[in-house]
Amino acid sequence: MSQPLAPSAPALAPQPPAPPRTVLVVEDDFKIADMLSNYLGAQGFRAVWLSEGRQVCPCVRELQPSAVLLDLTLPDQDGLLVCRELRAFSDVPVMMVTARVDEIDRLEGLETGADDYVCKPFSPREVVARLNALLRRAEGRLAQAAWPPEQGFVVDEPALQVRWQRQPLGLTAVEFRLLRLLLARPGQVLERSRLLDEVHEGDLRDVSDRVIDSHIKNLRKKIERLRPEGSGIVSVYGVGYRMELPG
């Protein structure tokens, strides 16, 4: 005798796909902007093209993009100034895309708070690979870690931020990785070349160790705004830096 069929389990409602991440492409050259936007779209991003620097900050406030690809040479406003204005209110990952190839230009770009730097001519594949690396860090895919409260520093991986006595330092992504590395090895001298390898990704053959000095300078200033007794970051002449924690 046939058995009655058991009622089937209700089908689970399909989950809606995650919305595409928005990337601002700030570029006055239509051909380059169109190439980047099309490639980003093919890789699952939503590209928003801006041709003028003055449009960037209002657009970042409104759209809350996942990243900004920022040309340095814009018709109305220098990209360095745009980056400084962004860093006054946002930690959005910024990748500078420019024809300026001199080391001083790269240093100046990184000192204003950019997280990466790509020189023209470039391949859109390289740009997207670097962009994905920035987003992996910014989205906090590493496990959360914290230092003992008595040391004063707390590292919040998902927020990509470090706090001193509960106050955020307002770090860029590069500064965050640099301070996290120093805090993880208190008292240990870390060479500039190692710090450079750890905090920057991609081809660094044309980037000197002086980049780390620039990041350390900015990092000290941000810590000392909240910790008047000093940043705790000690220079070891000719070698690198170490972190001296209280106690």
Side-chain angles (χ1 to χ4, degrees):
M1 186 173 65
S2 62
Q3 298 294 323
L5 296 175
S8 59
L12 295 177
Q15 295 296 317
R21 291 169 294 180
T22 298
V23 176
L24 296 188
V25 178
V26 187
E27 171 62 64
D28 64 320
D29 186 314
F30 173 77
K31 290 183 178 179
I32 294 176
D34 187 57
M35 175 187 67
L36 284 173
S37 297
N38 288 334
Y39 196 85
L40 286 166
Q43 298 300 311
F45 293 95
R46 174 195 175 209
V48 175
W49 174 41
L50 304 177
S51 61
E52 297 182 348
R54 60 184 174 82
Q55 300 172 311
V56 177
C57 289
C59 195
V60 168
R61 286 190 170 98
E62 178 183 353
L63 298 180
Q64 297 293 306
S66 297
V68 177
L69 301 182
L70 176 62
D71 186 16
L72 283 188
T73 307
L74 297 168
D76 65 324
Q77 193 172 3
D78 188 82
L80 294 173
L81 178 57
V82 174
C83 190
R84 289 191 188 97
E85 292 177 348
L86 272 178
R87 284 295 172 248
F89 69 91
S90 175
D91 290 330
V92 62
V94 175
M95 181 187 300
M96 289 188 168
V97 183
T98 179
R100 301 183 191 176
V101 297
D102 291 338
E103 179 181 327
I104 188 64
D105 290 319
R106 293 196 298 270
L107 288 172
E108 192 172 3
L110 294 169
E111 285 175 353
T112 59
D115 300 287
D116 203 354
Y117 198 110
V118 180
C119 294
K120 300 175 183 177
F122 55 80
S123 73
R125 182 177 180 181
E126 177 191 3
V127 172
V128 171
R130 286 174 176 263
L131 176 63
N132 281 324
L134 288 181
L135 292 175
R136 283 196 298 271
R137 295 190 293 264
E139 290 166 358
R141 295 183 180 178
L142 300 175
Q144 183 175 6
W147 275 258
E150 63 270 15
Q151 294 179 349
F153 290 101
V154 174
V155 177
D156 185 348
E157 288 278 1
L160 209 69
Q161 189 53 267
V162 178
R163 294 186 292 275
W164 167 259
Q165 296 182 347
R166 300 186 178 183
Q167 299 183 72
L169 297 177
L171 306 179
T172 67
V174 171
E175 292 165 355
F176 168 78
R177 295 194 297 275
L178 182 56
L179 181 55
R180 178 184 61 187
L181 187 62
L182 289 167
L183 287 171
R185 297 163 176 84
Q188 179 179 340
V189 178
L190 300 178
E191 297 179 353
R192 285 181 176 83
S193 58
R194 178 180 177 185
L195 292 171
L196 187 65
D197 290 340
E198 291 279 352
V199 303
H200 280 288
E201 294 190 359
D203 187 354
L204 298 176
R205 288 175 295 179
D206 296 328
V207 180
S208 79
D209 293 350
R210 288 179 54 206
V211 170
I212 291 298
D213 297 335
S214 298
H215 290 315
I216 290 289
K217 178 182 177 182
N218 292 335
L219 194 51
R220 281 171 167 161
K221 289 180 180 178
K222 291 182 178 182
I223 296 174
E224 288 167 2
R225 282 202 296 261
L226 301 178
R227 189 173 183 260
E229 62 268 34
S231 67
I233 302 175
V234 177
S235 301
V236 181
Y237 181 75
V239 182
Y241 298 92
R242 72 170 183 269
M243 191 75 187
E244 290 187 352
L245 296 175

